[in-house]
Amino acid sequence: MTDASIATFPPLVVGTDPEAVKKAFRLPLAFISGFIVVIAFVAVLVTAMMASLSGFGSGVLAALPFLITLSYMVYLAVRTAQTAGERASAGTVLTIDATGLNATIPQGVLVLPWQAIESIAVQKRGKHRIAIFRTVPGVTPDSPGVQTTIKPGIFRLLAKKGFRIGSAGIDVPVQTILDATAAFTGGRLLAR
């Protein structure tokens, strides 16, 4: 395949599917909320029982581990809700064209040319598929063609584990992303 025939494909634009994001986060948020209610009930129960036996100070002291756990669970619920909100409002998540991929993730913008991507793999997690773009060893934010606003520490992790995009919460099937990648690279990057 020649470069001219590769460039004739229109870019693939992958956006967020807000309903799918809500559906993906519904169960974890319900689980955390249930835990919050149960832990709060147990904390009140322990406080009341110990307060009736040994005084109010002992009751609060006995419930302290439950109150710490409750605080953590409230933090976890807020953080999960924020993550769901960020993912639901991301808009365009990934654009694949003849030059490479352009991703907008919560950590920043990532532009990788096809020369910086060594391989692509597919992983299954439950009923979802995840496409993993593995970079060439030694790729840094300063490599030719790479543009990013991601912090260097996060970029190193991304270079080590690969850029991942999963089927949960996007409006295009992962297979379409894999097919577009193969088409734009002339078959060099085929999912394994």
Side-chain angles (χ1 to χ4, degrees):
M1 221 176 224
T2 64
D3 288 338
S5 63
I6 293 172
T8 60
F9 295 116
L12 174 66
V13 178
V14 178
T16 301
D17 183 359
E19 290 303 315
V21 171
K22 289 176 188 175
K23 185 177 178 184
F25 279 93
R26 189 174 298 139
L27 184 61
L29 281 171
F31 185 69
I32 293 169
S33 300
F35 256 155
I36 288 172
V37 170
V38 169
I39 292 170
F41 177 76
V42 170
V44 169
L45 184 66
V46 168
T47 302
M49 286 178 24
M50 285 303 291
S52 69
L53 295 173
S54 305
F56 183 73
S58 296
V60 172
L61 188 61
L64 191 60
F66 295 104
L67 295 174
I68 291 170
T69 304
L70 180 65
S71 301
Y72 175 73
M73 293 305 286
V74 168
Y75 166 77
L76 190 61
V78 168
R79 188 68 192 120
T80 303
Q82 285 176 337
T83 302
E86 288 172 356
R87 292 197 179 161
S89 65
T92 300
V93 177
L94 177 70
T95 303
I96 297 177
D97 59 18
T99 59
L101 65 85
N102 182 342
T104 304
I105 57 177
Q107 294 83 5
V109 175
L110 174 68
V111 177
L112 290 174
W114 292 125
Q115 298 81 8
I117 300 173
E118 180 179 47
S119 65
I120 185 168
V122 177
Q123 186 179 50
K124 280 194 93 165
R125 184 166 293 154
K127 62 181 178 176
H128 298 289
R129 295 176 70 198
I130 301 169
I132 305 168
F133 293 86
R134 301 205 186 277
T135 59
V136 174
V139 168
T140 65
D142 300 325
S143 295
V146 176
Q147 301 170 13
T148 187
T149 59
I150 297 173
K151 293 179 183 176
I154 296 173
F155 188 88
R156 279 192 299 277
L157 182 66
L158 183 136
K160 180 180 176 183
K161 294 192 173 201
F163 170 71
R164 297 166 183 252
I165 184 159
S167 62
I170 58 175
D171 62 358
V172 172
V174 169
Q175 188 59 46
T176 304
I177 295 170
L178 300 174
D179 293 343
T181 300
F184 281 119
T185 61
R188 182 179 73 84
L189 294 175
L190 293 174
R192 291 181 233 143

